[in-house]
Amino acid sequence: LPPLFDGCFFFLLGSFKGPTKDELARLLREGGGQLLSRQPKPDSDVTQTLNAAAYHAEPGSDQALCTQYIIYDPQGTYKPAVVRRGKVWSAPSTWIIDCIGAFSLLPVPQH
């Protein structure tokens, strides 16, 4: 099987208390994810035409088409506007840890 985060791109928004940004970045890279240096724009034609797919998402779900995640610390001061548009979703850092524990891309909690 491909790594857990194969086909997924992540942008880490703001600062993180636990796990730290460096720890999250390491976990994401070790899981096959790629880190983005800039926050993805949900309305960008380039973003929406990427053909990557998330292998470990629930087949047939709208999350199977999501390949870019804006990750934030739910206890931190940086909270994205609710983003769940096309291939760009926002998710709390706790979701990453839960996904690793289940070795599956779990449904992203509604904010």
Side-chain angles (χ1 to χ4, degrees):
L1 293 176
L4 176 58
F5 299 119
D6 185 60
C8 296
F9 299 84
F10 299 91
F11 177 76
L12 301 176
L13 179 67
S15 57
F16 295 81
K17 291 186 168 95
T20 66
K21 188 178 262 189
D22 287 342
E23 291 167 334
L24 280 172
R26 182 181 55 78
L27 289 170
L28 292 169
R29 278 195 296 272
E30 286 178 2
Q34 297 182 51
L35 297 177
L36 299 170
S37 57
R38 290 188 294 194
Q39 185 168 336
K41 295 182 169 92
D43 297 325
S44 164
D45 289 341
V46 173
T47 299
Q48 296 303 334
T49 56
L50 288 174
N51 287 331
Y55 181 86
H56 291 283
E58 182 71 33
S61 70
D62 55 351
Q63 193 169 348
L65 301 175
C66 178
T67 56
Q68 298 185 36
Y69 292 92
I70 300 167
I71 304 299
Y72 64 94
D73 184 343
Q75 306 303 319
T77 55
Y78 294 98
K79 297 248 191 325
V82 175
V83 176
R84 200 172 192 144
R85 203 170 312 141
K87 296 183 179 191
V88 179
W89 289 16
S90 61
S93 56
T94 51
W95 174 78
I96 297 290
I97 305 305
D98 293 342
C99 288
I100 291 169
F103 197 75
S104 176
L105 290 183
L106 299 170
V108 174
Q110 297 286 343
H111 306 297

